[in-house]
Amino acid sequence: MIKYRLSILFIAFSFLMASCQSSSVAEEPLESVLPENFETPPTGEDVFAPDYWDDAQLVWSDEFDGTTLSTENWKLETGNHGWGNNELQNYISEGNVEVGDGTLKIIAKKEIFDGSNYTSARLNSKKEFRYGKIEIRAKIPEYKGKGIWPALWMLGNDINSVGWPACGEIDIMEYVSYSPNEVHFSIHSTANNHVKGTQITSGPVPLETIEEEFHTYGVLWTDKYMRFYIDTAENVQLNFIRPANSSSDNWPFSKPFYFLINIAVGGNWGGLEGVDNTIFPAVMEVDYVRVYQK
């Protein structure tokens, strides 16, 4: 039976639920891919109508065909400064990304590199988007033990000027391996974020095959709401309605955002129960990233 979980949970234990929020934004500007009328839906259209998304068109995707990562679509973000969460990995530019057999592979490894004991990869999209039906089909690393923190997410393109959490964060999928068979969806803003213990989250959503099978993680994003789902748009796990008295503090989501794909090691949340060094290498596969817009 398809389940609707329309939840807005405010989590008090912020130190347990740290998000992948920190980013040193790239020097090169992002390329916007926006519908012609992106500020509000066309006059007369009801974004809450059951058929609203039926005629959405694919405007951008990466299917990860071929054998190399598209440098037109992605750039690698590097560094080992903890990323605001006391993470242990060093994100490096070579050796932790593979493309083949129709998927992108992000690989976290147990290896010493420039003062860190682990390496991984963090991809940022070069294009940015405002509103749409967004889907990422991915398979979480095989469960072997505690310590990794894979995520599929988005950050506001003004992070360099306003910082986090004012830029906004959309967590399309987060997973921590000390809590297998579960996935999390979250939203962060100035008013609602884990530092204050007020982030908006689905909490842990049971997904028994998350480590064994590919699943589609999606969000329906308009100027009125964000709905997070698994596999089908009807299987909603978190529904966030734009506040009646919205502002940049509680709704920084009417501007372009860009994608991030990464595996963190340890950290305030991912490493809450330690890191099992026998779990490496840990591989997350991504089948595709797709953006549909009206």
Side-chain angles (χ1 to χ4, degrees), residues 169-190:
E169 177 177 329
I170 303 169
D171 294 323
I172 302 170
M173 186 287 304
E174 283 188 287
Y175 167 93
V176 285
S177 65
Y178 73 79
S179 183
N181 303 317
E182 294 178 344
V183 64
H184 300 254
F185 306 90
S186 301
I187 298 166
H188 299 265
S189 65
T190 299

Side-chain angles (χ1 to χ4, degrees), residues 1-2 12 22 34 36 86 96 98 102 112 122 126 138 152 156 172 178 185 190 210 212 224 233 247 271 274 280:
M1 172 184 291
I2 293 175
S22 180
L34 307 176
E36 290 182 6
N86 296 308
N96 297 78
E98 295 179 4
I112 297 173
R122 172 165 161 144
K126 289 186 174 181
L152 310 169
I172 302 170
Y178 73 79
F185 306 90
T190 299
I210 189 171
E212 294 81 24
K224 303 296 184 187
S247 67
F280 301 98

Side-chain angles (χ1 to χ4, degrees), residues 61-285:
S61 72
D62 197 328
E63 306 294 322
F64 302 109
D65 296 326
T67 56
T68 58
L69 183 70
S70 169
T71 55
E72 292 184 2
N73 290 343
W74 305 96
K75 61 184 179 339
L76 287 156
E77 195 168 15
T78 60
N80 63 342
H81 47 71
W83 301 93
N85 298 299
N86 296 308
E87 296 166 25
L88 304 177
Q89 78 288 337
N90 195 333
Y91 289 127
I92 61 176
S93 59
E94 295 183 359
N96 297 78
V97 174
E98 295 179 4
V99 177
D101 300 320
T103 66
L104 163 73
K105 287 89 171 169
I106 302 289
I107 308 168
K109 301 178 180 179
K110 175 69 176 74
E111 61 180 357
I112 297 173
F113 187 93
D114 193 22
S116 299
N117 292 321
Y118 308 91
T119 64
S120 187
R122 172 165 161 144
L123 300 186
N124 294 359
S125 68
K126 289 186 174 181
K127 293 181 171 63
E128 55 185 18
F129 309 89
R130 175 176 2 206
Y131 307 144
K133 176 182 179 180
I134 294 164
E135 293 191 334
I136 305 179
R137 185 165 176 81
K139 186 170 76 66
I140 299 307
E142 176 186 356
Y143 178 74
K144 299 177 183 177
K146 303 170 182 178
I148 58 169
W149 181 3
L152 310 169
W153 50 306
M154 304 182 80
L155 284 172
N157 70 342
D158 59 353
I159 187 171
N160 254 355
S161 58
V162 303
W164 186 96
C167 66
E169 177 177 329
I170 303 169
D171 294 323
I172 302 170
M173 186 287 304
E174 283 188 287
Y175 167 93
V176 285
S177 65
Y178 73 79
S179 183
N181 303 317
E182 294 178 344
V183 64
H184 300 254
F185 306 90
S186 301
I187 298 166
H188 299 265
S189 65
T190 299
N192 302 109
N193 62 77
H194 77 275
V195 177
K196 294 181 177 179
T198 57
Q199 76 269 30
I200 294 166
T201 177
S202 63
V205 176
L207 187 57
E208 293 296 324
T209 58
I210 189 171
E211 299 96 351
E212 294 81 24
E213 299 177 6
F214 281 87
H215 288 278
T216 301
Y217 304 96
V219 57
L220 303 176
W221 175 21
T222 74
D223 72 324
K224 303 296 184 187
Y225 61 75
M226 280 185 283
R227 292 174 177 166
F228 296 78
Y229 60 90
I230 301 173
D231 292 330
T232 67
E234 293 75 28
N235 190 21
V236 176
Q237 304 297 321
L238 172 63
N239 185 34
F240 178 52
I241 304 296
R242 181 173 183 161
N245 297 316
S246 63
S247 67
S248 59
D249 283 353
N250 60 24
W251 180 268
F253 304 112
S254 292
K255 63 190 174 190
F257 276 62
Y258 63 95
F259 289 106
L260 300 95
I261 300 174
N262 68 288
I263 299 178
V265 178
N268 296 343
W269 189 18
L272 192 61
E273 297 189 8
V275 178
D276 182 347
N277 287 331
T278 67
I279 69 177
F280 301 98
V283 182
M284 174 169 64
E285 292 192 71

